Amino acid sequence: MDLENGQKTGYFLDQKDNRKRVAELARRKRVLDTFTHTGAFGLNAVAGGAKEVVSVDISPEAVAGVERNIALNKAGPVMSAVCADVFDVLRQYEEAGERFDMIILDPPAFAKSAAKVEKAYGGYKEINLRAMRLLVPGGILVSCSCSHFMSQDLFYDMLVHAAADAKRRIQIFEKRGAGPDHPVRAGYAKSEYLKCAVMRVI
């Protein structure tokens, strides 16, 4: 991780338990890891026995870091890094008929203010419905939002509408958040900012 120039501390510690969960679910799966940043979700999928991992980020600096991490973890035979806009990649993969067994969506905060929630809702919905279309029947989608302006209710409402537009059914079997070292302050809803839904897409 880049402690000096990386985003925030250079590494997002609040997702550590969710990454471990991905490792548990990734065995023998073809995995698409989007908005990968340091490649942490993808590397955990490799550690869990994934058969292939494609990690995507728009930042050339981030992708260079992912490639270094792939080498450090000797994950090269399984994992690759792609420098591209995730919105474009999801659309291109759909047009090409690509299919994945698991997709991880961990975007940056699309809603950085209350005034931008409606636009952010559309962005979250687009990546989720496209990911749902790319999954094999019964595939697993791990969908996250770190924006405290995107409430829990709004986030799960978005998933329902994304599934309807994608003509898929979803079974949410885990509603996760930040790790226990990021406790929620009672009475302060914004402290429960991280949403991480683990679902089966049918």
Side-chain angles (χ1 to χ4, degrees):
M1 64 195 75
D2 186 342
L3 295 176
E4 183 177 359
N5 302 303
Q7 296 178 42
K8 297 186 179 178
T9 60
Y11 188 75
F12 294 95
L13 295 168
D14 52 0
Q15 288 277 29
K16 64 181 182 180
D17 289 338
N18 299 326
R19 294 177 185 126
K20 290 178 183 176
R21 186 65 179 119
V22 161
E24 294 168 355
L25 295 168
R27 186 170 176 78
R28 290 194 291 270
K29 289 181 172 61
R30 187 181 191 218
V31 179
L32 177 61
D33 165 33
T34 68
F35 307 98
T36 190
H37 186 41
T38 60
F41 268 114
L43 288 165
N44 273 272
V46 172
K51 65 182 179 183
E52 180 186 359
V53 178
V54 180
S55 292
V56 183
D57 202 283
I58 197 171
S59 164
E61 294 79 16
V63 169
V66 174
E67 289 173 341
R68 286 193 297 272
N69 288 338
I70 289 171
L72 286 168
N73 287 273
K74 297 179 174 58
V78 175
M79 184 173 171
S80 60
V82 175
C83 186
D85 186 312
V86 170
F87 286 86
D88 293 340
V89 164
L90 292 173
R91 184 166 51 251
Q92 290 162 6
Y93 281 168
E94 184 181 349
E95 290 170 355
E98 296 279 359
R99 290 293 178 267
F100 294 88
D101 304 297
M102 174 187 281
I103 297 177
I104 300 134
L105 300 173
D106 185 25
F110 290 163
K112 295 185 183 296
S113 69
K116 295 182 179 178
V117 168
E118 185 175 343
K119 183 178 180 181
Y121 185 101
Y124 284 116
K125 183 180 173 185
E126 181 180 347
I127 61 172
N128 277 274
L129 75 86
R130 290 194 181 280
M132 290 173 188
R133 289 173 179 167
L134 286 173
L135 283 163
V136 299
I140 293 173
L141 176 60
V142 179
S143 181
C144 308
S145 168
C146 61
S147 173
H148 65 256
F149 292 106
M150 189 80 169
S151 68
Q152 295 270 346
D153 288 346
L154 196 59
F155 178 71
Y156 286 100
D157 175 83
M158 175 276 299
L159 290 174
V160 170
H161 284 89
D165 284 1
K167 296 180 171 54
R168 299 289 190 271
R169 288 183 295 122
I170 55 173
Q171 298 172 331
I172 299 171
F173 56 90
E174 290 185 50
K175 292 183 176 182
R176 304 175 64 90
D181 55 350
H182 286 64
V184 173
R185 179 180 171 185
Y188 185 58
K190 290 180 180 178
S191 64
E192 197 170 5
Y193 64 95
L194 182 62
K195 284 76 62 179
C196 178
V198 185
M199 69 202 85
R200 185 174 294 105
V201 178
I202 303 169

